Amino acid sequence: MTPQISRRTILRATGAAAGAAGFTGVGATATAAPAAAASTGCAHPGLLHTAADLDRMAVKVKAGAAPYTAGFAKLTANGHSHSGWTPNPQATVYRGSGTPENYATLYNDIHAAYQNALRYHVSGDSAHADTAVAILNAWSAKLTKVDGSADRFLAAGLYGYQFANAAELVRDQADFDLAGFQKMLLDHFYPLSETFLDVHNGAYATNYWPNWDLTAIACVLAVGIFCDDRAKVERAVDYFKHGDGLGAIKNAIPVVHDDGLAEWLEAGRDQGHTLLGVGLMGTICEMAWNQGIDLYGYDDNRFLKGAQYVAKWSLGGEVRYTANTRQKGAPGVWSGQETASEAATVNPSMTLPIWAMISNHYTRRRGLSASYVTQIAAKSAPEGGGGDYGPNSGGYDQLGFGTLTYTRDKAENTTASPRPAAPASAAANESGSGSASDPRPQTGATASAGDLATTGSNDIVGWSAATGITALAGGLLLLRRRDRVRRESR
């Protein structure tokens, strides 16, 4: 059965801007950058994948082109992508200590919806679209709350952005309850992520490591795009550039060295969380790019410099690390400090499905050099997805399948190609001031000492390494740090 190109053509009429990196056939060359989406809404499909991306995957796989076929084989081999998947929606999802955790049910169903939707777009088999729709509709009809310890913010951020991406791929299906799904995201995922960015669970802005902010930014951005809410998109973009928490790019990547590498703050913690952060920041940049906003290139390609640093370090190379001290705790509750003085040890066999997206953007779309990123992307290929990198939550923190979804032909005239134009309202926020329609809540609950102390998943995640060696890395834990140099340069 062939992909339903005519259906996606209709989608392009409502969001052609996101598909400007168009695909015209096997071996065709894409243009380098999308144009900005209309100011009255967002381009669709326009989260991690545009219509042009979906068409490219389908045509390349049908033609038997490498490495797309290997990437598609990883997808079809994953049990979550099978059309016989049966959803198990819950009224309340719990994540964190002290609660009856059931969030594994949620992330397994999200990945099944995403993988089936992706498989439908590549193969054209409508059974996979039907399965994805059934999963998503079941959850939007039943879910009433995301709850738990401070880890509820992680659940909202991670699964909110992933849910939106799965639903974006079937938003035009006749049986999909678009309004109901938008309501679920707006009522139960977005508020937790927005509140976290605003008040950080009542804690100091430096109490939580960068990944906490990055999950929240990803959720706010994805929900804004999915729900055609430009104010939310602009809020996420503004926080990415100017936020006070450690997930803002100049706080997460605080020191740029003269060798072109930039320190990743969380490298002073451990490798697993650092890889997660790189994947989350790449996800944010990709979703923004598909709406005509270039965060990849922001601040002289700062993200590229940070990704190069992490790639070199993860491959076993020597990197510099600037000692830094951060404040932790909550005002009026408890406070302390913690200093990180060197990059943690690494296991060069540890891998996550994050590198194909980053490598293809910088080297294929933009024509830039990214030697370490390119090397680690090749080592990690073909990338799998949820269920291929361990059985616990850390193995589902990325949607994955980047070899299939992000591999692209090199664009022509990349050095002269224009960057995507950001919406005027987003540009107005460049000064750091909020939009007049800024949806941020002005108050938030203050965390208890116990809530802060137990924040973070205690899961021990088995990360499947490229060589089959299993390395250990936790989920997202408590605390993050502020670098002295970063404070001085703000």
Side-chain angles (χ1 to χ4, degrees):
M1 187 173 182
T2 58
Q4 298 179 4
I5 302 300
S6 60
R7 176 192 55 74
R8 293 206 284 268
T9 300
I10 294 173
L11 282 181
R12 287 196 195 93
T14 64
F23 179 74
T24 57
V26 179
T29 300
T31 56
S39 60
T40 56
C42 297
H44 300 291
L47 286 172
L48 286 175
H49 314 303
T50 67
D53 294 332
L54 297 169
D55 288 349
R56 180 185 66 246
M57 298 173 215
V59 175
K60 291 285 193 179
V61 169
K62 184 178 179 180
Y68 300 90
T69 50
F72 187 60
K74 291 288 289 187
L75 175 62
T76 58
N78 192 306
H80 293 77
S81 77
H82 297 172
S83 61
W85 187 276
T86 301
N88 184 22
Q90 306 293 309
T92 303
V93 169
Y94 295 95
R95 175 169 177 165
S97 59
T99 57
E101 289 189 307
N102 62 351
Y103 69 102
T105 299
L106 174 60
Y107 64 67
N108 274 282
D109 275 0
I110 290 173
H111 283 258
Y114 172 77
Q115 291 182 28
N116 270 277
L118 189 59
R119 192 166 172 178
Y120 158 67
H121 279 282
V122 176
S123 71
D125 186 345
S126 61
H128 292 290
D130 293 342
T131 298
V133 168
I135 295 169
L136 299 169
N137 284 350
W139 277 93
S140 65
K142 187 167 184 177
L143 183 69
T144 59
K145 192 175 186 181
V146 177
D147 206 350
S149 67
D151 279 21
R152 68 191 183 276
F153 296 110
L154 299 178
L158 285 167
Y159 311 134
Y161 98 75
Q162 292 179 358
F163 240 157
N165 270 278
E168 181 77 351
L169 296 180
V170 296
R171 67 181 294 136
D172 65 311
Q173 294 292 306
D175 293 335
F176 176 58
D177 182 5
L178 176 60
F181 204 84
Q182 288 175 325
K183 186 177 188 302
M184 179 190 70
L185 290 175
L186 291 169
D187 289 352
H188 307 306
F189 291 88
Y190 161 75
L192 284 170
S193 291
E194 174 54 44
T195 298
F196 186 83
L197 293 179
D198 195 46
V199 298
H200 292 94
N201 196 30
Y204 296 114
T206 55
N207 183 70
Y208 293 90
W209 289 92
N211 290 342
W212 289 74
D213 269 0
L214 291 170
T215 64
I217 295 169
C219 179
V220 171
L221 178 60
V223 172
I225 294 169
F226 186 78
C227 297
D228 288 300
D229 189 331
R230 297 300 307 193
K232 289 179 174 56
V233 172
E234 292 162 14
R235 160 63 163 154
V237 169
D238 182 70
Y239 193 96
F240 178 90
K241 295 178 178 179
H242 308 298
D244 60 350
L246 296 185
I249 187 169
K250 293 180 184 179
N251 301 342
I253 310 173
V255 180
V256 179
H257 295 292
D258 55 11
D259 62 359
L261 302 183
E263 293 178 16
W264 197 275
L265 189 66
E266 212 144 351
R269 183 187 186 189
D270 63 55
Q271 184 183 7
H273 289 95
T274 300
L275 294 176
L276 170 60
V278 173
L280 287 168
M281 191 171 286
T283 293
I284 292 164
C285 290
E286 185 71 16
M287 293 190 296
W289 177 272
N290 288 333
Q291 295 299 318
I293 304 167
D294 187 8
L295 298 182
Y296 276 118
Y298 179 70
D299 195 30
D300 193 25
N301 295 304
R302 195 181 192 97
F303 175 51
L304 171 59
K305 296 170 185 177
Q308 282 275 88
Y309 174 97
V310 173
K312 179 182 179 182
W313 171 64
S314 291
L315 289 166
E318 292 290 331
V319 294
R320 288 181 278 179
Y321 190 85
T322 304
N324 61 86
T325 300
R326 61 182 174 79
Q327 185 176 28
K328 58 183 183 178
V333 181
W334 67 279
S335 63
Q337 290 184 331
E338 184 174 87
T339 299
S341 57
E342 61 182 357
T345 58
V346 300
N347 179 348
S349 297
M350 184 183 290
T351 186
L352 286 178
I354 63 175
W355 297 109
M357 173 173 59
I358 301 166
S359 175
N360 274 278
H361 173 79
Y362 287 112
T363 67
R364 298 286 180 166
R365 275 187 182 144
R366 303 302 296 165
L368 301 175
S369 174
S371 57
Y372 296 114
V373 167
T374 300
Q375 183 180 346
I376 202 168
K379 182 180 179 181
S380 301
E383 291 181 352
D388 294 326
Y389 296 86
N392 298 324
S393 60
Y396 292 81
D397 285 343
Q398 289 83 25
L399 290 169
F401 301 105
T403 304
L404 169 66
T405 58
Y406 302 113
T407 299
R408 60 187 71 247
D409 296 318
K410 189 171 183 179
E412 294 178 347
N413 301 320
T414 51
T415 56
S417 61
R419 294 183 178 183
S425 51
N429 278 342
E430 189 64 28
S431 65
S433 60
S435 167
S437 57
D438 189 341
R440 288 178 290 180
Q442 299 305 306
T443 59
T446 299
S448 68
D451 191 33
L452 288 170
T454 61
T455 290
S457 172
N458 290 320
D459 286 348
I460 296 178
V461 181
W463 305 88
S464 298
T467 62
I469 299 173
T470 299
L472 297 181
L476 292 165
L477 303 177
L478 172 67
L479 309 177
R480 45 197 176 157
R481 61 181 67 104
R482 173 180 292 171
D483 188 278
R484 180 182 67 257
V485 175
R486 186 267 300 168
R487 289 200 303 268
E488 293 172 353
S489 65
R490 285 193 67 178

